């Protein structure tokens, strides 16, 4: 497609979409899966809509008027518009009429991923693409005394800090995981829901917000100067007695590919790490470019996926150079579920379709289209499905999803500290390690990890 990568000087950039919540879901933790199902992330930064599968584009300055060939087609529209403008007895705002007409056109497509957006909605939707926000840098949830999710803050339902982002002003100010927020700028959080409190904590860079907290039963006030926050989309650790490197990708923002590259490089360089698990569960996607780069960390020389326009043939999308885990002697397992969508499905399909690793979990969401964001000057903008993406076998998974080789379902009632899907993934990747003896020399097509480990802070 014609969109440029988010690294270019042009503001155009690509990504892939699924239904978007008003706030992000919290990162899935292996030790708190019970709460996660209902977490709302407050990476307390404005407009934290997480788009998965959009592309930014530009309109070419359409010529006003209707072409001769479409005069009859558009005559009913102009007849209705002129009649409303001339004869409606109420007040008329012509711009509202035009926006309503555009909205109706997109609704007629019956595509949940294509939609007209008002100026506010357009700006808000684009706010999350870069992965950077203005705020304090914390994630929060509402939990009761037993650690179970709850909705409205009360004497038994607490607004709790679940994570403080590295390098954030919240961390510098002394906020800690487990702090209970009881007031924001002197206004109590009692009887409030998370989505009502979050906007009061968000705010522009260099402004100050005071959070009243309780820690260990002791109250205190912490003033935090808001700043630009970079969302942390990648988390990593070493599992299985040091044999398995684990990476959890929460989304595909503009910085996620570089972050994953650094953390993956560090894992590969860690003594004892022999296999990898890439956790894409509940990952709604993001930039297509990020998906291509992340998939390229595992696949060096075969098409990752295909893109197809409304009128063109499928075009193979090749790996980018520099992947640090393309050695086939390093087994890979990708964890997926029904929340694995769009850009994250591209990565999962690339690994599966190129026989680079196995999928473990349940069938993915099934979103096989790529959207493009375009601005309508003075009238907001829209997102429009402009491409299909196909697996390496040129299969369109839209509405179907990817089927994992190893089915592993999460329990209906998760137990804190237990993750049977991850445990099954560890079993599978260790079995693959046993079945595939390590070659004495790496294949010539595989770039070995020559980069020094890069700190992730």
């Amino acid at each position: 497609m014609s969109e440029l990568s988010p690294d270019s000087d042009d503001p155009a950039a690509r990504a892939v979409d699924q239904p978007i919540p008003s706030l992000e879901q919290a990162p899935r933790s292996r030790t708190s899966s019970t709460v996660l199902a209902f977490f709302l992330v407050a990476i307390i930064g404005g407009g934290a809509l997480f788009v998965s599968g959009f592309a930014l584009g530009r309109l070419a300055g359409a010529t006003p008027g209707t072409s001769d060939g479409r005069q009859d087609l558009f005559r009913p529209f102009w007849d209705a518009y002129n009649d409303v403008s001339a004869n409606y007895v109420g007040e008329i705002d012509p711009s509202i009429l035009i926006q309503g007409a555009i909205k109706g056109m997109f609704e007629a497509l019956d595509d949940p991923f294509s939609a007209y957006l008002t100026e506010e909605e357009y700006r808000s939707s684009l706010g999350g693409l870069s992965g950077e926000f203005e705020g304090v840098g914390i994630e929060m949830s509402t939990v009761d005394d037993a650690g179970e999710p709850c909705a409205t803050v009360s004497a038994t339902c607490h607004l709790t800090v679940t994570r403080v982002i590295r390098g954030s002003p919240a961390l510098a100010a002394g906020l800690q995981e487990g702090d209970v927020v009881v007031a924001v700028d002197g206004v109590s959080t009692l009887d409030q829901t998370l989505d009502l409190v979050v906007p009061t904590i968000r705010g522009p860079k260099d402004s100050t917000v005071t959070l009243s907290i309780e820690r260990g039963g002791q109250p205190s006030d912490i003033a935090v100067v808001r700043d630009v926050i970079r969302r942390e989309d990648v988390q990593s650790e070493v599992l299985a007695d040091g044999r398995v490197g684990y990476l959890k990708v929460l989304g595909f923002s503009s910085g996620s590919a570089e972050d994953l590259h650094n953390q993956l490089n560090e894992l590969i360089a860690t003594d004892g790490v022999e296999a990898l698990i890439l956790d894409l569960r509940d990952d709604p996607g993001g930039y297509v470019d990020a998906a291509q780069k992340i998939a390229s960390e595992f696949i060096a020389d075969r098409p990752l996926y295909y893109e197809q326009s409304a009128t063109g043939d499928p075009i193979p999308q090749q790996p980018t150079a520099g992947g640090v885990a393309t050695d086939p002697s390093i087994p890979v397992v990708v964890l997926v579920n029904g929340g694995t969508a769009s850009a994250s499905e591209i990565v999962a399909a690339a690994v599966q379709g190129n026989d680079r690793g196995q999928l473990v979990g349940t069938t993915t969401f099934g979103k096989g289209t790529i959207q493009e964001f375009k601005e309508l000057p003075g009238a907001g903008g829209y997102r429009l499905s402009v491409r299909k993406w196909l697996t390496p076998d040129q299969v369109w998974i839209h509405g179907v999803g990817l089927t994992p080789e190893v089915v592993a379902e999460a329990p209906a009632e998760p137990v804190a500290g237990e993750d049977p899907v991850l445990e099954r993934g560890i079993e599978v990747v260790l079995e693959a390690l046993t079945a595939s003896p390590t070659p004495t020399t790496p294949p010539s097509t595989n770039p070995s990890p020559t980069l020094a480990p890069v700190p992730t802070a």
Side-chain angles (χ1 to χ4, degrees):
M1 65 193 291
S2 61
E3 300 87 332
L4 305 178
S5 76
D7 299 321
S8 71
D9 294 331
D10 193 293
R14 298 185 300 165
V16 206
D17 169 54
Q18 77 156 31
I20 305 172
S22 58
L23 291 171
E24 294 180 73
Q25 290 182 342
R28 178 172 294 275
S29 166
R30 296 189 305 112
T31 59
S32 59
S33 56
T34 304
V35 177
L36 287 185
F38 297 91
F39 266 6
L40 289 177
V41 171
I43 304 183
I44 314 298
L49 286 177
F50 192 23
V51 296
S52 63
F54 289 118
L56 299 183
R58 290 174 172 172
L59 291 177
T63 302
T66 304
S67 64
D68 291 340
R70 295 187 175 183
Q71 288 292 334
D72 289 341
L73 180 65
F74 275 84
R75 190 179 308 280
F77 169 79
W78 287 115
D79 286 346
Y81 178 82
N82 290 333
D83 190 31
V84 170
S85 299
N87 299 316
Y88 179 61
V89 295
E91 294 184 0
I92 297 176
D93 183 341
S95 64
I96 297 299
L97 291 182
I98 296 301
Q99 291 179 33
I102 298 171
K103 181 178 180 180
M105 179 170 60
F106 277 89
E107 290 176 346
L109 296 176
D110 196 25
D111 175 9
F113 309 113
S114 298
Y116 169 73
L117 305 168
T118 65
E119 289 194 44
E120 181 178 353
E121 290 169 339
Y122 186 79
R123 289 193 301 270
S124 179
S125 295
L126 292 183
L129 278 170
S130 67
E132 293 184 347
F133 312 96
E134 292 183 338
V136 302
I138 58 176
E139 296 174 3
M140 309 174 69
S141 68
T142 45
V143 294
D144 62 20
D145 294 330
E148 296 295 325
C150 51
T152 303
V153 178
S154 66
T156 57
C157 180
H158 314 292
L159 182 59
T160 306
V161 176
T162 58
R163 189 162 72 101
V164 182
I165 293 177
R166 294 172 294 173
S168 68
L171 183 64
L175 282 166
Q176 299 178 11
E177 179 179 336
D179 287 345
V180 176
V181 180
V182 297
V184 179
D185 285 334
V187 179
S188 174
T189 59
L190 280 175
D191 300 322
Q192 303 280 335
T193 58
L194 183 61
D195 58 342
L196 291 177
V197 176
V198 166
T200 68
I201 302 178
R202 294 172 177 165
K205 178 182 177 180
D206 296 329
S207 62
T208 300
V209 61
T210 299
L211 303 182
S212 300
I213 67 164
E214 289 184 357
R215 181 184 301 163
Q218 298 299 316
S220 64
D221 291 339
I222 297 180
V224 187
V225 179
R226 300 178 178 103
D227 203 343
V228 176
I229 307 300
R230 178 177 174 180
R231 186 175 57 228
E232 291 181 319
D233 284 334
V234 181
Q235 301 169 359
S236 62
E237 59 181 307
V238 177
L239 306 174
D241 298 323
R243 300 183 67 192
V244 177
Y246 170 84
L247 296 124
K248 170 64 179 173
V249 183
L250 307 173
F252 289 72
S253 66
S254 58
S256 61
E258 180 182 1
D259 199 7
L260 182 134
H261 175 85
N262 293 339
Q263 295 190 47
L264 178 59
N265 187 59
E266 188 172 356
L267 287 173
I268 293 293
T270 301
D271 289 339
V273 171
E274 305 170 90
L276 297 168
I277 290 180
L278 182 64
D279 192 345
L280 299 180
R281 290 175 294 175
D282 297 317
D283 184 330
Y287 279 118
V288 172
D289 303 72
Q292 185 172 9
K293 292 175 182 177
I294 288 174
S296 299
E297 299 290 353
F298 306 97
I299 300 153
D301 56 1
R302 286 176 286 181
L304 304 174
Y305 69 101
Y306 288 75
E307 286 188 10
Q308 184 175 19
S309 68
T311 58
D313 295 326
I315 299 174
Q317 306 300 306
Q318 302 294 340
T320 57
V324 298
T326 58
D327 188 339
S329 69
I330 304 174
V332 176
V333 155
V334 181
L335 305 183
V336 297
N337 65 5
T340 303
S342 206
S344 58
E345 287 179 290
I346 288 178
V347 174
V351 172
Q352 183 184 57
N354 284 298
D355 298 321
R356 181 63 187 89
Q358 298 186 74
L359 306 188
V360 174
T362 54
T363 302
T364 63
F365 182 84
K367 182 181 177 301
T369 55
I370 297 172
Q371 281 64 47
E372 187 175 58
F373 261 122
K374 288 187 178 179
E375 184 178 9
L376 295 169
Y382 60 84
R383 62 176 187 262
L384 179 66
S385 298
V386 296
R387 294 285 191 279
K388 295 179 180 179
W389 72 264
L390 314 175
T391 70
D393 297 328
Q394 299 192 41
V395 174
W396 195 39
I397 67 160
H398 197 68
V400 177
L402 298 167
T403 301
E405 288 87 351
V406 180
V407 175
E409 296 188 8
E413 298 183 2
V415 178
E418 297 183 8
D419 189 342
V421 177
L422 175 57
E423 295 303 322
R424 185 70 181 102
I426 293 173
E427 292 175 1
V428 171
V429 80
L430 291 179
E431 290 170 1
L433 189 64
T434 302
S436 302
T438 303
T440 55
T441 58
S444 59
T445 56
N446 167 54
S448 59
T450 56
L451 299 176
V454 180
T456 58

